[in-house]
Amino acid sequence: MNRVVITGIGIYSCLGKNLEAVKDSLFQGRSGIVLDPERKAFGYRSGLTGMVDRPELKGLLDRRARLMMPEQAEYAYMSTREALAMAKMDQDYLDSREVGLLFGNDSSAKPVVEATDIIREKKDTMLVGSGSVFQTMNSTVNMNLATIFRIKGVNFSVSAACASGSHAIGLGYMFIRSGMQDAVICGGAQEINLYAMGNFDAIAAFSVRESDPARASRPFDRDRDGLVPSGGAATVILESLESAQRRGATILGEVLGYGFSSNGAHISNPSVEGPTRSLEMALRDANLQPKDIGYINAHATSTPAGDASEAKAIYSVFGECNTPVSSTKGMTGHECWMAGASEIVYSMIMMQNGFMAPNINFENPDDDSAKLNIVTNTLNKNFNIFLSNSFGFGGTNSSLIVRKWE
Amino acid sequence: MEIKEIIQKTNAFLAEEFEVSPESITPEADLKATLELDSLDYIDLVVAIENNFGFKVKPEDFQGIVTFQDFYDYVIERVKQKELV
């Protein structure tokens, strides 16, 4: 079995458009949430969202490449550029190896809506143009990045709701561990446009604390009233230890464990047993005890039911260890398909820089969160191993464990 | 619409849509080679004509078109037909 290490990370999120900016936001506990008036005008119950600008790709990519990309692929291109540069994997390297690409993505709403609008109005499918089909498909991030970076290894998208990005990294880890790939570019991407989130708004999933956007996302807080949608992209370069050492790459961390489970129950209501099994499986896979984990980056979206069940699951496994826990979603909102990847990147940034980002807006615990050691202010503390949870609709759970490379 | 105006408008959207320098577009130049058109680009040419002149085009209409002058002739003919209607 190969050991699997991380040699590059990249991020493009509402906390910043690169690692340095995101590090500052995490350290300062700065929120990326805004009130978007367009959502209110469009009919949203909640106009809150994480916000990030579209990147300027003219000059970086040719017209044909740009035409094929929906916004989440643009974000993914930016985070992947950053991660590849950090890993020192240039185009010559990608051209000469079978590097893989696994990205988490579970929707591409805007191109679908816009194409349908054109067809309805013009009564002519051809007028949607040549790029639309490649923007609409769920695998759009993979097909775009694989073309741009001329990828030759494994290439498919992982759709697992809000656990998509985490499972993409978990699968990349398994491909490398088994020896089937030397390196896999993993990540998650999430569109932010207002078409993407209307049906989530419909089921009253979102916080309506619109008077104070930065305080609306309140993971584990007694007074939380729902999640805040967000998006962007995050990339993690996984590589076998042998490959990384052979090419003299700087190793940032090692993926030690991947756990997963299905709740096998309600489509939206979470369970305690499902996440608990995912946590325990990740620990078993990593051959670690709960006391070995220095920090937990919780899924904790700021919905009462989700946070409560996760708090119970974490307490059942880590209760005796009093492990520090925070959810970065207080700052980022819920980055959905991307969150499993971005939260690995956020946790890597914290681990490399010796701090734990605060779970902002945690003011009053409830019965479940009171039992956890929740980090409420930035904690200057080194840690060597973290665990990151992601749980999605349909009952899909994923937990990853990463160790600092020293 | 005057012929000169049609040609100016055509050159402008071709340069913009396909990101080529306006100087590369001359009546005798090869349309496909100059604009680096692949099969998908012909779809975007259909969309650009519809958006700029408001008439419908089929990709097979481009089969006999080699130079920009051929393309101008085609567009001028279709604009005139539209104006007659």
Side-chain angles (χ1 to χ4, degrees):
Chain A
M1 297 273 230
N2 287 321
R3 290 172 71 179
V4 182
V5 297
I6 297 173
T7 51
I9 51 177
I11 184 78
Y12 193 91
S13 86
C14 69
L15 296 186
K17 294 173 185 171
N18 55 56
L19 292 162
E20 198 55 37
V22 168
K23 182 184 84 178
D24 288 346
S25 294
L26 287 170
F27 190 80
Q28 289 168 26
R30 190 165 52 217
S31 169
I33 307 304
V34 299
L35 177 65
D36 175 15
E38 279 185 44
R39 275 165 214 252
K40 297 304 288 181
F42 195 61
Y44 271 60
R45 177 174 164 271
S46 169
L48 295 166
T49 183
M51 195 61 96
V52 60
D53 299 327
R54 300 277 291 267
E56 177 54 60
L57 297 182
K58 211 168 180 175
L60 293 177
L61 292 173
D62 66 25
R63 166 190 164 273
R64 170 53 65 205
R66 297 195 323 267
L67 212 57
M68 301 296 164
M69 301 169 88
E71 65 171 88
Q72 66 270 30
E74 296 178 349
Y75 304 146
Y77 172 69
M78 295 305 287
S79 65
T80 302
R81 266 173 67 95
E82 188 178 36
L84 286 170
M86 180 182 274
K88 295 193 169 56
M89 284 187 182
D90 59 12
Q91 192 57 54
D92 285 346
Y93 183 83
L94 298 177
D95 285 341
S96 62
R97 308 286 164 140
E98 288 186 5
V99 173
L101 177 72
L102 295 168
F103 246 78
N105 184 52
D106 209 345
S107 71
S108 197
K110 192 177 181 189
V112 176
V113 172
E114 289 179 340
T116 307
D117 283 349
I118 290 170
I119 297 166
R120 217 192 300 273
E121 185 197 334
K122 307 274 190 181
K123 310 285 182 216
D124 183 346
T125 56
M126 195 167 279
L127 295 179
V128 303
S130 72
S132 183
V133 63
F134 305 101
Q135 292 188 22
T136 59
M137 295 170 73
N138 225 33
S139 52
T140 180
V141 174
N142 267 84
M143 61 175 82
N144 275 289
L145 295 190
T147 309
I148 291 166
F149 293 112
R150 303 199 288 267
I151 292 301
K152 295 184 173 63
V154 63
N155 173 20
F156 61 84
S157 296
V158 180
S159 288
C162 298
S164 299
S166 183
H167 283 307
I169 295 169
L171 286 175
Y173 157 76
M174 291 177 72
F175 272 107
I176 294 169
R177 196 165 67 151
S178 70
M180 294 180 81
Q181 293 275 268
D182 280 339
V184 183
I185 301 164
C186 300
Q190 169 68 44
E191 55 184 338
I192 301 182
N193 64 77
L194 85 175
Y195 300 119
M197 285 295 154
N199 26 23
F200 279 80
D201 193 72
I203 58 170
F206 296 160
S207 168
V208 288
R209 197 186 291 259
E210 292 179 321
S211 60
D212 198 354
R215 302 184 68 193
S217 183
R218 311 172 70 80
F220 295 126
D221 186 69
R222 184 186 66 197
D223 301 318
R224 62 199 178 277
D225 67 334
L227 61 89
V228 175
S230 187
T235 305
V236 175
I237 310 289
L238 298 184
E239 194 169 357
S240 70
L241 176 61
E242 190 193 3
S243 164
Q245 287 177 330
R246 190 172 54 229
R247 63 189 193 89
T250 302
I251 299 173
L252 311 172
E254 178 175 10
V255 182
L256 294 181
Y258 171 39
F260 50 83
S261 68
S262 175
N263 292 342
H266 196 276
I267 196 163
S268 63
N269 291 347
S271 76
V272 179
E273 298 75 22
T276 302
R277 284 189 287 118
S278 176
L279 284 167
E280 288 172 340
M281 182 178 175
L283 285 168
R284 267 199 316 277
D285 185 45
N287 198 22
L288 293 175
Q289 300 300 313
K291 66 175 172 50
D292 299 323
I293 305 295
Y295 167 72
I296 296 171
N297 188 279
H299 180 64
T301 63
S302 180
T303 62
D307 290 8
S309 62
E310 184 176 11
K312 285 189 177 86
I314 291 173
Y315 183 73
S316 74
V317 179
F318 293 94
E320 287 180 11
C321 310
N322 206 33
T323 312
V325 178
S326 69
S327 169
T328 35
K329 290 189 178 78
M331 287 176 266
T332 63
H334 190 2
E335 294 164 317
C336 295
W337 329 148
M338 155 208 191
S342 62
E343 289 166 14
I344 292 292
V345 171
Y346 299 146
S347 300
M348 287 293 293
I349 291 172
M350 295 179 221
M351 189 161 69
Q352 285 177 302
N353 291 280
F355 73 94
M356 294 178 195
N359 188 120
I360 69 166
N361 304 323
F362 181 68
E363 292 171 336
N364 297 298
D366 61 16
D367 290 347
D368 297 303
S369 59
K371 295 176 182 166
L372 301 182
N373 177 12
I374 294 177
V375 179
T376 53
N377 293 300
T378 303
L379 199 57
N380 282 301
K381 186 178 181 189
N382 286 312
F383 60 96
N384 295 321
I385 302 179
F386 70 83
L387 179 147
S388 176
N389 281 330
S390 290
F391 309 136
F393 272 169
T396 173
N397 307 302
S398 177
S399 302
L400 292 165
I401 297 174
V402 178
R403 174 166 60 193
K404 191 175 184 176
W405 191 262
E406 290 179 289
Chain B
M1 201 185 289
E2 295 289 328
I3 288 176
K4 195 177 162 195
E5 191 188 343
I6 293 172
I7 292 174
Q8 277 176 350
K9 194 171 177 178
T10 303
N11 286 349
F13 80 70
L14 290 177
E16 166 78 19
E17 176 72 25
F18 295 98
E19 295 180 1
V20 296
S21 70
E23 298 79 51
S24 67
I25 299 177
T26 59
E28 60 280 4
D30 186 290
L31 179 89
K32 188 179 176 186
T34 306
L35 301 181
E36 295 181 19
L37 300 179
D38 65 18
S39 58
L40 290 172
D41 292 319
Y42 282 101
I43 308 296
D44 298 322
L45 201 50
V46 169
V47 177
I49 292 172
E50 159 86 17
N51 288 342
N52 283 278
F53 293 108
F55 63 82
K56 286 203 189 299
V57 180
K58 294 191 179 82
E60 42 275 33
D61 293 353
F62 300 123
Q63 276 171 4
I65 292 172
V66 177
T67 64
F68 283 91
Q69 187 62 55
D70 297 337
F71 189 69
Y72 300 146
D73 292 344
Y74 169 74
V75 174
I76 290 162
E77 178 63 25
R78 291 294 308 266
V79 169
K80 286 198 168 144
Q81 279 174 13
K82 191 172 167 234
E83 285 174 348
L84 285 174
V85 178

